Amino acid sequence: MADTEKKFDKVKYNNEFIAKAYDRINLTVPKGNKEIIKAHADSRGESVNAFLNRAISETMERDNH
């Protein structure tokens, strides 16, 4: 029981930290694209989140130049 309580507290702490430190965006993609995006990110050694953040940052930088 103690392990479960510690695990729950860690999850709660992480969720509270994320809520304070990050904004969330709900992204909708056509059926099948989620797997394609994940495979691409995996092939580059990135998480889907890291890949999307990089893609957004690089596109915004390119658009502003």
Side-chain angles (χ1 to χ4, degrees):
M1 183 81 173
D3 288 336
T4 304
E5 288 176 21
K6 285 181 185 175
K7 197 172 202 177
F8 176 78
D9 289 344
K10 184 177 179 184
V11 170
K12 182 179 176 185
Y13 172 82
N14 285 341
N15 287 339
E16 289 172 353
F17 173 78
I18 289 169
K20 289 177 186 174
Y22 297 98
D23 289 326
R24 290 194 175 266
I25 297 174
N26 185 19
L27 175 68
T28 304
V29 297
K31 264 305 189 203
N33 280 11
K34 180 179 175 182
E35 291 77 20
I36 294 167
I37 293 166
K38 183 171 180 352
H40 182 81
D42 288 345
S43 75
R44 301 196 42 99
E46 294 179 303
S47 68
V48 170
N49 189 65
F51 167 65
L52 292 173
N53 274 297
R54 182 173 60 82
I56 292 166
S57 293
E58 288 177 5
T59 301
M60 288 174 61
E61 185 177 320
R62 185 186 69 228
D63 289 350
N64 288 328
H65 289 315

